[in-house]
Amino acid sequence: MIELQQAVKKGALLVTSDQPGADVFLDGVRKDSTPALLSDIPEGQHALEVKKGELSWKQIVTVVGNQQQKVVAQLAPAGPAAGPVRIVCPVPGAEVWIDGEMKGTVN
């Protein structure tokens, strides 16, 4: 008797990051550096990790057979939004400090 086994479908991941040259790991094994095209990945869930220095990003990804997915790893924390600030003060010449740094005086 001959047993037939269904072929495992394979997919691909295109991995990019905000830190070019970051190391890409799939299921704990280093595969490439960003940007990276990882192919012949068995269909199913896999642990994807991207690292550069102290920065790290991890996610469980689901690979779909015969498809390529794009994954963008955001390693650097998003900084605070910057914008103008209007200071109103009844004391002319008062110093304005933000986060411990003198930014100017009130007119």
Side-chain angles (χ1 to χ4, degrees):
M1 178 196 276
I2 298 175
E3 286 187 37
L4 299 178
Q5 293 182 353
Q6 186 176 3
V8 176
K9 292 182 182 179
K10 295 186 179 185
L13 296 172
L14 176 59
V15 185
T16 63
S17 75
D18 60 339
Q19 304 289 316
D23 293 321
V24 178
F25 296 83
L26 186 67
D27 297 326
V29 178
R30 186 184 181 285
K31 296 292 186 178
D32 204 343
S33 299
T34 58
L37 177 60
L38 308 180
S39 56
D40 293 326
I41 304 170
E43 188 173 54
Q45 290 191 334
H46 297 272
L48 181 65
E49 185 171 7
V50 180
K51 296 181 187 179
K52 188 164 187 180
E54 296 295 317
L55 302 174
S56 180
W57 176 94
K58 293 179 184 179
Q59 185 172 321
I60 299 297
V61 295
T62 301
V63 174
V64 179
N66 303 319
Q67 291 186 19
Q68 177 179 304
Q69 273 179 255
K70 182 174 183 181
V71 180
V72 180
Q74 182 74 32
L75 295 176
V85 175
R86 181 173 183 228
I87 307 294
V88 178
C89 178
V91 181
E95 295 177 344
V96 176
W97 292 72
I98 299 176
D99 292 332
E101 185 177 331
M102 187 174 149
K103 297 293 184 177
T105 58
V106 175
N107 293 329

